[in-house]
């Protein structure tokens, strides 16, 4: 008896390398791309531990919870860390980064999240990258939530380490991820005595035993099902077209924002300015006295498949996320989410203009 998930032919090095090349095209890079066998936290941590040590001076930009995590990893490596934190309802500016670098000219590493799905904001990487490049520091970018939802131009922006996962806008698996590494970043790792070696966190192992040897022999048995799913995911993106995929996400974000503003009932966009809002997900602030997790539970009671979730941690009390990414970047998912939220507000006796919200969402879809 056979099963489509079992008894598969081994995934060879040539096919593994071909997937990496297709991911490189998505990232707009000619740098080396390593496909890592785990969720994106694996290369996110591996890249920091590879580059950072006691002599590192880092600027860590915090626009959400992942920025806080990166700062913790950098400090654990022995780096001196200067945090640049902005309110989660906004985005950092290139001017703020420039000021921080001028105040601490010894900074040689900058960590930044492109889009924070957890808080719904997105940062202007093109402008920030120019500032960091002028300063001469390495730029490390978490593009897990942004890839596929908005432009990620790794080489054009001067990103030295760009980490992605497939589970959000790309509509792929969570168990495999990728990182592009510039020559400058490889040199930093090679010179770092604290960089992991002979470790699952080691990117240098992949360079020395995979890339430098012509990508002919894998370091270990690949996560076969996840690699096949990533290959299928990239193929689907190529068939739709990256521009079309990003267009769907931008349209979903605009429709959600317009619909919420028309809905009323005290729900408001969590990110104040639309230009700071990420296309991958729209976050909402609940009215005073309404607990976000309770409202989401009511909204999901009729249709648990809707892309709605309460914020994480302390944000569960005040934030709702409409996760219109991947296959949920559609008019149906947006309108279904608005309808469910409107019904949940009505159950609580809060007046909301559901018909107006659906009209606004439909009118804004482009």
């Amino acid at each position: 008896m056979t099963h489509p998930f079992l008894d598969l032919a081994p995934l060879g090095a040539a096919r593994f390398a071909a997937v990496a090349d297709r991911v490189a095209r998505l990232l707009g890079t000619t740098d080396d791309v390593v496909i890592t066998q785990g969720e994106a936290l694996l290369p996110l941590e591996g890249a920091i531990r590879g580059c950072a040590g006691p002599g590192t001076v880092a600027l860590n930009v915090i626009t959400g919870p992942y920025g806080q995590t990166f700062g913790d990893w950098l400090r654990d490596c022995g780096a001196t860390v200067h945090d640049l934190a902005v309110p989660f309802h906004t985005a950092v500016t290139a001017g703020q980064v420039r000021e921080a670098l001028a105040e601490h000219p010894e900074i040689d590493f900058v960590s930044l999240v492109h889009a924070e799905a957890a808080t719904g904001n997105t940062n202007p990487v093109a402008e920030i990258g120019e500032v960091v490049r002028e300063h001469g520091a390495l730029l490390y970018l978490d593009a897990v939530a942004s890839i596929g939802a908005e432009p990620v131009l790794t080489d054009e922006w001067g990103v030295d380490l760009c980490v992605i996962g497939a589970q959000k806008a790309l509509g792929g698996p969570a168990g495999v991820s990728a990182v592009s590494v510039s020559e400058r970043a490889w040199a930093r790792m090679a010179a770092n005595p604290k960089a992991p070696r002979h470790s699952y966190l080691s990117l240098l192992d992949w360079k020395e035993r995979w890339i430098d040897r012509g990508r002919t022999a894998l370091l270990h048995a690949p996560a076969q099902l996840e690699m096949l799913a990533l290959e299928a995911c990239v193929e689907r993106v190529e068939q739709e077209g990256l521009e079309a995929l990003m267009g769907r996400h931008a349209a979903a974000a605009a429709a959600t924002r317009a619909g919420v503003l028309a809905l009323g009932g005290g729900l408001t966009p969590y990110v104040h300015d639309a230009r700071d809002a990420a296309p991958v997900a729209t976050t909402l602030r609940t009215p005073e006295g309404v607990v976000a997790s309770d409202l989401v539970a009511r909204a999901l009671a009729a249709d648990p498949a809707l892309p709605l979730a309460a914020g994480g941690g302390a944000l569960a009390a005040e934030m709702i996320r409409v996760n219109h990414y991947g296959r949920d970047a559609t008019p149906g998912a947006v309108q279904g989410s608005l309808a469910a939220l409107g019904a949940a507000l009505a159950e609580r006796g809060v007046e909301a203009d559901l018909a107006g919200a659906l009209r606004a969402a439909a009118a804004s879809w482009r």
Side-chain angles (χ1 to χ4, degrees):
M1 189 173 80
T2 61
H3 189 283
F5 293 159
L6 303 176
D7 305 317
L8 297 169
L11 187 69
R15 193 165 178 185
F16 193 99
V19 175
D21 292 341
R22 294 167 83 174
V23 170
R25 288 194 288 273
L26 282 181
L27 286 168
T29 186
T30 58
D31 288 339
D32 294 325
V33 169
V34 176
I35 305 295
T36 42
Q37 306 292 283
E39 201 271 337
L41 282 172
L42 173 64
L44 285 168
E45 183 174 358
I48 281 181
R49 294 196 181 277
C51 288
T56 303
V57 182
L59 176 65
N60 180 50
V61 180
I62 301 176
T63 57
Y66 282 101
Q68 294 171 327
T69 297
F70 301 159
D72 292 340
W73 287 340
L74 286 161
R75 290 183 176 90
D76 189 57
C77 291
T80 299
V81 182
H82 301 284
D83 288 326
L84 171 56
V86 301
F88 290 175
H89 64 258
T90 187
V92 72
T93 68
Q96 289 171 311
V97 173
R98 187 184 298 277
E99 289 175 7
L101 294 175
E103 185 177 354
H104 302 284
E106 69 278 16
I107 286 171
D108 58 11
F109 186 92
V110 176
S111 51
L112 174 69
V113 178
H114 188 184
E116 286 268 12
T119 49
N121 54 31
T122 192
N123 293 304
V125 183
E127 300 166 21
I128 293 169
E130 183 177 354
V131 171
V132 174
R133 191 162 56 249
E134 290 173 1
H135 186 79
L138 290 184
L139 179 56
Y140 159 101
L141 185 69
D142 172 354
V144 174
S146 56
I147 186 68
E150 55 187 301
V152 177
L153 304 175
T154 304
D155 289 358
E156 183 177 324
W157 295 344
V159 179
D160 293 286
L161 297 148
C162 187
V163 177
I164 66 166
Q167 68 266 33
K168 289 190 166 59
L170 297 180
V176 64
S177 46
V179 54
S180 66
V181 187
S182 72
E183 287 300 322
R184 294 199 318 150
W186 283 133
R188 179 75 65 89
M189 290 185 208
N192 179 14
K194 299 280 286 184
R197 295 293 189 112
H198 310 295
S199 162
Y200 212 60
L201 285 172
S202 177
L203 294 179
L204 280 173
D205 286 357
W206 280 99
K207 175 171 173 51
E208 295 172 356
R209 297 169 55 194
W210 167 249
I211 294 170
D212 291 350
R213 296 181 184 180
R215 302 192 302 179
T216 57
L218 293 164
L219 273 65
H220 47 70
Q224 182 130 315
L225 294 178
E226 286 77 8
M227 281 299 298
L228 292 172
L230 176 61
E231 182 181 53
C233 163
V234 174
E235 184 173 292
R236 189 166 63 182
V237 171
E238 291 170 347
Q239 289 175 348
E240 178 176 2
L242 187 57
E243 291 295 328
L245 177 62
M246 292 189 293
R248 272 202 295 121
H249 284 82
T256 303
R257 193 176 187 91
V260 166
L261 290 172
L263 180 65
L267 278 182
T268 57
Y270 190 88
V271 178
H272 295 179
D273 195 323
R275 69 181 177 183
D276 295 335
V280 71
T282 298
T283 48
L284 311 174
R285 190 182 298 275
T286 53
E288 186 176 353
V290 176
V291 176
S293 56
D294 292 344
L295 194 67
V296 167
R298 288 174 182 262
L300 291 177
D303 186 357
L306 288 171
L308 294 171
L315 295 175
E318 63 177 12
M319 179 190 286
I320 293 173
R321 289 168 48 187
V322 185
N323 294 317
H324 44 65
Y325 54 71
R327 299 191 70 179
D328 285 322
T330 63
V334 170
Q335 293 190 352
S337 297
L338 291 169
L341 290 171
L345 287 169
E347 285 183 19
R348 292 183 56 88
V350 178
E351 291 187 15
D353 183 4
L354 178 54
L358 296 179
R359 285 196 301 271
S364 74
W365 191 278
R366 296 288 184 269

